[in-house]
Amino acid sequence: MALDPDDSPAALNRDLRIWVKNWTGKGIGQVALGANISNSRAYAATANTNLVPRDLLLAIVRAAVPPTYDIEERTRWLLRWSREWERRWEIAEATSRGEHLKPAPPPEPALERSSQPPLQPNAVVRLDPELVLPVLERITDKAVRRITSKHVYVARQPLPVGYHNRDPITVYIDLHSASCSPRYREDLAQFLAGRVRRALGGLDPERTVIATAREGNILVGSRVAELCGVPFLMVRTTARPPRFGYPIERNAGDQVEAVIVDDIVMSTLVPRMAELLRIHEGITATRCFSIFDRADVGAVNRWEGDEITLDSAFPIDSELVEVLGNLAERYA
């Protein structure tokens, strides 16, 4: 028996990919990564005539919720579209067996307010370094300024970034990607290690460690530790610890103090690190060094009550964010 084109698994797969693109402006593989699904699996599962697995479909739907919605809108949106795609999946599954299901009733009118895709996808653009470089005059180190200018991204609408406090922001400086270049990683690490040495002097490897969050820039953090001649310590603040449940990776003696380093300080990641170090290892952390801090979202203000001193080289404030956003509007 021939499949009805509108109810076939292939049609469901095709429509799901179109729907994801319509709501998010991204391919289904990019959205799937937000649900801890590899992009290759997402593409493979929706690129042929086999029916996409139900659990994968629902995970993709949950990952496609617009990030600008509040809690109430997110709940209503997820309820609306989870039901709709489950209904479509059941019809496609029955059709593949040569059966036909009775169509479900139309969606509830109360949910219509959150049922329309954005007029325009939330595009994210990478700014031309030649445009960005003159704007970054506050970055006095030439190497850091040059690297930063190559990795500035601007979104049309705010996107949530961060771990323990998901801050919607429109401007993002991606020093993770920059650190994948050995030359850029060395420049960033040399700059940060220099600030640590100038502030603290020579570090005793028997009494001091450099610590970075697993969710932070461990490429730069580990190199800073190497340049300072002290052990490196990695803290898993959100990721599931491997096997035996230890959240801290270390190779150092007892009775040490941790100096936290990262490329950008944004949210409550640093206080969470300090708490884990104290609870699990009895290690004190009172100093944090970073290249940037997100002053536009009040990162440091969230540390009230946590006795941690931040030494940040350059703030990213609301004025800089506005200038970079205007560049994106004019030239992107």
Side-chain angles (χ1 to χ4, degrees):
M1 176 179 177
L3 296 178
D4 184 337
D6 294 331
D7 295 335
S8 68
L12 175 71
N13 295 342
R14 179 200 64 218
D15 292 348
L16 177 64
R17 295 172 73 160
I18 294 173
W19 177 84
V20 166
K21 185 72 173 180
N22 194 29
W23 274 99
T24 67
K26 301 178 182 179
I28 197 167
Q30 293 175 283
V31 173
L33 289 174
N36 294 323
I37 300 167
S38 68
N39 55 5
S40 59
R41 183 187 173 206
Y43 280 116
T46 58
N48 51 47
T49 58
N50 294 325
L51 186 61
V52 59
R54 188 173 189 158
D55 60 339
L56 188 146
L57 178 144
L58 292 176
I60 291 174
V61 170
R62 288 191 293 269
V65 62
T68 55
Y69 280 4
D70 58 28
I71 294 177
E72 180 182 353
E73 288 178 316
R74 286 175 63 89
T75 302
R76 295 177 57 168
W77 189 95
L78 287 170
L79 178 64
R80 159 74 173 90
W81 286 110
S82 295
R83 284 179 175 176
E84 175 65 18
W85 282 108
E86 280 193 294
R87 182 186 71 84
R88 287 284 310 272
W89 188 92
E90 289 169 357
I91 292 174
E93 195 273 338
T95 303
S96 67
R97 293 185 281 106
E99 300 176 5
H100 291 280
L101 294 181
K102 181 181 178 180
E108 304 164 33
L111 297 174
E112 289 299 326
R113 185 173 67 90
S114 298
S115 298
Q116 298 301 321
L119 296 178
Q120 291 181 305
N122 187 16
V124 178
V125 298
R126 183 176 182 175
L127 294 183
D128 185 339
E130 296 302 321
L131 295 174
V132 177
L133 204 56
V135 176
L136 301 180
E137 294 179 347
R138 64 181 65 186
I139 303 178
T140 53
D141 185 271
K142 292 182 179 179
V144 174
R145 183 166 66 246
R146 184 184 70 254
I147 294 167
T148 302
S149 71
K150 297 176 183 290
H151 295 87
V152 177
Y153 294 82
V154 179
R156 180 180 291 118
Q157 298 295 331
L159 292 171
V161 177
Y163 291 90
H164 304 290
N165 194 312
R166 295 176 63 82
D167 298 285
I169 59 175
T170 55
V171 172
Y172 179 60
I173 297 176
D174 186 11
L175 294 186
H176 270 115
S177 293
S179 301
C180 293
S181 161
R183 184 182 64 176
Y184 293 166
R185 178 167 65 247
E186 185 66 18
D187 286 342
L188 295 173
Q190 289 281 0
F191 175 78
L192 197 49
R195 293 187 67 83
V196 173
R197 287 193 295 259
R198 282 192 296 274
L200 303 180
L203 302 183
D204 183 351
E206 299 297 324
R207 300 180 59 84
T208 310
V209 295
I210 295 290
T212 302
R214 170 65 179 81
E215 297 76 15
N217 195 330
I218 58 174
L219 289 172
V220 168
S222 61
R223 179 57 180 151
V224 170
E226 187 177 7
L227 291 169
C228 291
V230 299
F232 177 67
L233 192 148
M234 185 185 78
V235 183
R236 299 173 184 268
T237 64
T238 60
R240 180 181 178 183
R243 294 183 178 85
F244 296 102
Y246 51 91
I248 297 173
E249 308 275 359
R250 62 175 293 189
N251 184 17
D254 297 327
Q255 304 299 319
V256 296
E257 181 175 344
V259 176
I260 298 173
V261 302
D262 212 339
D263 54 356
I264 300 176
V265 167
M266 182 169 177
S267 62
T268 54
L269 199 63
V270 171
R272 174 62 174 161
M273 282 184 64
E275 179 185 25
L276 289 171
L277 288 168
R278 177 179 55 81
I279 292 174
H280 291 275
E281 300 289 342
I283 296 176
T284 301
T286 59
R287 298 293 298 266
C288 175
F289 293 83
S290 70
I291 301 174
F292 295 105
D293 74 273
R294 295 298 304 231
D296 59 319
V297 297
V300 181
N301 296 336
R302 298 173 184 155
W303 297 7
E304 293 181 5
D306 296 286
E307 296 180 356
I308 305 172
T309 302
L310 174 64
D311 187 316
S312 172
F314 311 112
I316 302 172
D317 56 24
S318 299
E319 180 183 354
L320 178 60
V321 168
E322 182 179 1
V323 171
L324 293 172
N326 291 338
L327 282 180
E329 276 195 30
R330 291 178 60 190
Y331 297 103

